[in-house]
Structure formats: C-alpha cells, structure tokens
C-alpha cells in the first residue's frame, strides 16, 4: 500500500448472519441480522443462535450466494418467498447433537450443488427446487430429505441418506448426466429412501446406466411406498452392483409401493 492517511471502515453493513434480534420474524427487519441491517443481496446467509427459529422471507427476487447453518444453531425453519440460490446449502460443522434444519422456500438453483450433511446435521428441503440442468451431489453421513417437486440433471448419492417425500425427477440432458448411488470408492455409501406417496423418476438421456453401488461404492434403495419410475430415453437397464471391485455393496429393499421399469431391465451386476 502507498500513500498516507487513515482508512475508516463503516459499521452497519450486515455480513448476512441471522441473530434474530428484531421485533418480528421477518427477513426485512434489520434487527434480525448482524449490524442490525438487512443484508445487501446477493450475499451468503448464515443462520446462527436459537432466536426466531421459525422465520419468514418477506423480501422479493433475492439471490443468496449460499445458505449455511451454524453447527451450534437451534433447529431453524425457513419459510416465505422464493429465492435464487447460486451456491451451496449446508452446515459449517457437525452439531453436537442431532439437529434438523428445514428450508421450506421454493428455490431456483443456477449451479451444481454439493450438499454436505454431517453425522448430526440433517437437512429438509420442503419447497420446490427448479434447476437449469444442474447436478445434485449428496455427501457425508447425515440425512437430506426432499419434500417438494424437484428436478436435477444428474444425481450422486455418495454419503448418508436421502429421503424422498415429494416428487424428485432426474432428467438427464446428455452424455454428461449420471445417476449413481455409492460411486467408485469404498468411502462412498448412500441410501435412497422412497416414502409412501412420494415419486422418484429417472428420465432423459444419460452417459451410463443408472447404478446402485458402483466400482467399490455401496448403494441401497429402500422403497417403503410411493413410485420409482425408470424410463430414460437412451439407457435400457438399471444395475444393482456394477463392479469389478469386491468391496462393492448394493441392495434394493422393496417394502411397498411400485417399481415401474417401463419395460426395461433391472439387472444384477
């Protein structure tokens, strides 16, 4: 740095941390954010503390560059107006006790997402998720629940559990789209749970067959109800255990509901 003088940094600019110090539950209330000021969007949001856990986005047409839940935070429920999410959503550490964070906002995603739910960190996304041909990757040991009407172009379940209570569609767009549960490493294991009334659909074009447990990974589907529809445009099989690696583990537990293969093959690798 050259020159002289004094640099003054003004206070009062929120860094996007929710502290719930306002008089109501609304995002438009400055007192609910650090520096008692509504964040200037786009910005990453962090929800911390245990005050005003059920809060309301009453702002319009905002973009959050990320949504982070502090590891020590109480169980939040975010509701209100739709947002655009340009970055990831998850935790900044492993909570000391099992904690479920709930986001009931409808969201538009304009980038691929890796959702990391640590051992005690569970995340429920209850709103609808609209994407522009983006990938969902789920990692780590916690649980992700999808409860809205959601669409992705690729899906990797490489850790923990993904529970479907709404309608999730994996609509492949080209040869770069894939659908794998437990892919290519003994460190990767994922369990997909389809609940009564839910729907999980595989459609479109993919670069490979859909695989449950692939090349050393471990994949499990537990269908307790609902409908799993396999109807891609350019693949003719869903494979349970595709591997030359003896560490691979795969299973499909059919406890209820309907598995509709659309005339295609359910194969054991």
């Amino acid at each position: 740095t050259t020159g002289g003088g004094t640099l003054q940094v003004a206070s009062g600019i929120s860094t996007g941390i929710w502290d719930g110090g306002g008089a109501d539950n609304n995002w438009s209330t400055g007192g609910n954010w650090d520096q008692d000021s509504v964040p200037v969007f786009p910005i990453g949001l962090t929800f911390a503390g245990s005050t005003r856990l059920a809060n309301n986005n009453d702002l319009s047409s905002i973009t959050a560059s990320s949504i982070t839940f502090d590891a020590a935070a109480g169980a939040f429920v975010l509701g209100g107006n739709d947002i655009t999410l340009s970055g990831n959503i998850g935790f900044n550490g492993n909570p000391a006790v099992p904690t479920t964070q709930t986001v009931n906002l409808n969201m538009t995603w304009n980038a691929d997402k890796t959702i990391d739910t640590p051992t005690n960190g569970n995340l429920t996304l209850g709103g609808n998720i609209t994407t522009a041909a983006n990938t969902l990757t789920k990692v780590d040991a916690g649980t992700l629940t999808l409860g809205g009407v959601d669409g992705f172009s690729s899906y990797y379940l490489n850790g923990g559990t993904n529970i479907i209570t709404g309608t999730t569609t994996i609509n492949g767009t080209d040869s770069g789209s894939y659908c794998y549960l437990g892919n290519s490493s003994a460190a990767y294991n994922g369990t997909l749970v389809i609940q009564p009334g839910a729907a999980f659909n595989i459609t479109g074009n993919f670069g490979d067959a859909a695989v449950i447990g692939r090349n050393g990974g471990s994949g499990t589907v537990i269908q307790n109800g609902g409908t799993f529809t396999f109807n891609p445009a350019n693949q003719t099989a869903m494979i349970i255990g595709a591997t030359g690696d003896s560490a691979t583990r795969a299973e499909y537990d059919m406890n209820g509901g309907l598995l509709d293969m659309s005339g295609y093959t359910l194969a054991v690798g």
Side-chain angles (χ1 to χ4, degrees):
T1 302
T2 61
T6 302
L7 174 65
Q8 294 183 338
V9 180
S11 62
I13 301 175
S14 174
T15 61
I17 299 175
W18 176 274
D19 57 29
D24 57 33
N25 296 326
N26 293 329
W27 287 20
S28 66
T29 300
N32 284 325
W33 303 95
D34 67 318
Q35 303 297 328
D36 291 335
S37 176
V38 177
V40 177
F41 293 89
I43 194 173
L45 302 180
T46 298
F47 291 87
S50 298
T51 305
R52 301 195 182 282
L53 295 173
N55 56 63
N56 173 56
N57 173 29
D58 59 334
L59 304 172
S60 298
S61 303
I62 63 171
T63 295
S65 54
S66 62
I67 296 177
T68 302
F69 293 98
D70 186 76
F76 277 91
V77 179
L78 312 185
N81 293 336
D82 301 3
I83 68 168
T84 296
L85 181 64
S86 60
N88 285 328
I89 180 171
F91 297 78
N92 65 5
N94 186 30
V97 297
T99 303
T100 297
Q101 304 293 0
T102 302
V103 179
N104 288 330
L105 307 167
N106 293 334
M107 293 184 283
T108 297
W109 292 1
N110 55 18
D112 296 341
K113 299 288 184 288
T114 297
I115 296 183
D116 187 331
T117 53
T119 301
N120 288 331
N122 304 312
L123 180 63
T124 295
L125 304 181
N128 299 333
I129 299 172
T130 302
T131 71
N134 296 126
T135 297
L136 172 62
T137 301
K138 160 74 174 74
V139 297
D140 220 334
T143 296
L144 170 66
T145 300
L146 298 177
V149 178
D150 308 323
F152 313 101
S153 63
S154 284
Y155 177 78
Y156 297 87
L157 179 51
N158 282 335
T161 300
N162 182 193
I163 299 175
I164 308 298
T165 60
T167 298
T168 295
T169 299
I170 314 303
N171 183 24
T173 55
D174 53 35
S175 60
S177 293
Y178 299 93
C179 185
Y180 294 147
L181 278 66
N183 179 44
S184 295
S185 171
Y188 289 158
N189 60 86
T191 299
L192 173 67
V193 180
I194 303 169
Q195 294 291 66
F200 189 83
N201 308 307
I202 298 177
T203 63
N205 292 284
F206 294 87
D208 193 8
V211 181
I212 303 167
R214 179 178 183 271
N215 291 353
S218 297
T220 300
V221 175
I222 300 173
Q223 187 168 354
N224 294 321
T227 303
F228 185 156
T229 301
F230 180 80
N231 191 23
N234 70 331
Q235 299 292 331
T236 60
M238 180 165 65
I239 303 173
I240 302 175
T243 184
D245 189 329
S246 61
T248 304
R249 297 290 183 270
E251 63 180 277
Y252 197 118
D253 299 333
M254 191 73 184
N255 301 319
L258 172 68
L259 171 60
D260 182 358
M261 291 297 297
S262 304
Y264 295 126
T265 299
L266 180 63
V268 177

